[in-house]
Amino acid sequence: MSRNYTEIAKAISEPIGLTKHLVAVKFFDDLSKVPEGLPRPESKIYYCGAVGKVMSEGKTLLLLAEDHGCDRGAYMLGVKEPPETVVNGEMYAKSHMVETPRAGKRLIDQAPKIPVGKTAAILLTPLEEATFDPDVVLVSANPHQSLVILNATNYKNGLEIPLRFQILTSFCAYATVLPFKYGKPEATIPQEQARMRSQFTNEEMLIGIPGEMLEEVAEVLSGLCCVPKPAV
């Protein structure tokens, strides 16, 4: 690792007044590759809750398969096979997210996923403390801050940013897996339960930045037209 992630975190956060820690996400496909001594949750935790905890408290968390409290999130992240109740769509119809189980099944079928068994562990750490190159960086941002970050990702090429949205799996599938698999940024709006577990307010959006885009975002962000300039 040759990048200075303390400086990168500062270059992204300070010009637009981000208040929460940026979270570096690292996937491990083999437990033997995981550094020893990393703190794990005291009890099972949802992935969205773990991300929110790191954002708010600035503490590192390592998630192994047995630490995941959400079968749906663990499935999206490639940790383990889901129970039938997660994938058949019935629970989403019963809770009035969608009209029918068939529509509910589409919520799961269409979401970006890592193949089951490919993820042995997930490391979450504040970006400024990262000693590894992150696969994805997650950011809590209001709509204007989100605009600036997304602008920074296409500043050099001007290409359209095709965002995907679904009412479920915002933290796991859309903000994490999608940038990891496809190398594209994502901005999403977490639904109510995810907001509650992650301690997000109604004003917060969630941004996922592919790790390979970080330096470019940090380099150009402060000079963008929509970033307030300091008084002289």
Side-chain angles (χ1 to χ4, degrees):
M1 187 195 81
S2 59
R3 298 183 180 97
N4 184 331
Y5 287 113
T6 300
E7 291 302 316
I8 288 175
K10 184 184 298 185
I12 295 173
S13 295
E14 289 190 353
I16 53 176
L18 297 176
T19 58
K20 290 185 176 180
H21 296 273
L22 281 64
V23 176
V25 182
K26 183 70 175 177
F27 289 99
F28 293 92
D29 59 6
D30 191 324
L31 288 177
S32 67
K33 300 177 183 178
V34 179
E36 295 183 359
L38 293 171
R40 291 170 57 195
E42 295 179 359
S43 58
K44 287 181 180 291
I45 191 169
Y46 280 57
Y47 177 75
C48 53
V51 171
K53 187 175 181 69
V54 177
M55 283 182 169
S56 298
E57 299 179 9
K59 297 177 181 179
T60 294
L61 276 180
L62 176 70
L63 301 180
L64 303 184
E66 56 266 35
D67 297 322
H68 286 265
C70 175
D71 291 328
R72 182 169 54 243
Y75 174 45
M76 299 296 158
L77 295 161
V79 176
K80 58 185 177 180
E81 292 285 357
E84 181 63 20
T85 54
V86 165
V87 297
N88 65 17
E90 292 180 5
M91 72 165 72
Y92 315 117
K94 288 179 180 177
S95 61
H96 300 286
M97 286 186 184
V98 289
E99 186 175 22
T100 65
R102 181 179 179 183
K105 190 173 185 303
R106 290 194 190 107
L107 296 180
I108 302 303
D109 290 346
Q110 294 177 5
K113 307 172 191 68
I114 295 172
V116 171
K118 293 291 186 180
T119 302
I122 303 170
L123 179 58
L124 306 172
T125 197
L127 179 61
E128 68 270 18
E129 297 178 7
T131 57
F132 56 87
D133 292 327
D135 294 313
V136 177
V137 170
L138 299 174
V139 184
S140 162
N142 66 35
H144 182 261
Q145 293 164 336
S146 301
L147 166 69
V148 175
I149 292 168
L150 292 173
N151 188 180
T153 68
N154 80 340
Y155 176 73
K156 293 188 176 182
N157 59 34
L159 294 175
E160 181 181 62
I161 303 170
L163 302 177
R164 291 172 59 182
F165 176 76
Q166 189 53 278
I167 61 171
L168 275 178
T169 62
S170 52
F171 278 80
C172 50
Y174 288 89
T176 302
V177 174
L178 192 150
F180 175 62
K181 286 185 70 172
Y182 302 109
K184 298 178 180 180
E186 174 69 2
T188 189
I189 306 168
Q191 54 86 235
E192 295 306 316
Q193 294 300 314
R195 285 184 181 282
M196 179 184 68
R197 295 186 183 99
S198 61
Q199 302 177 60
F200 267 42
T201 68
N202 286 340
E203 287 69 43
E204 290 174 273
M205 296 179 64
L206 181 65
I207 311 295
I209 307 172
E212 59 266 35
M213 278 190 176
L214 271 182
E215 282 187 301
E216 181 178 324
V217 171
E219 175 190 343
V220 306
L221 187 143
S222 65
L224 295 175
C225 64
C226 47
V227 175
K229 302 300 185 286
V232 292

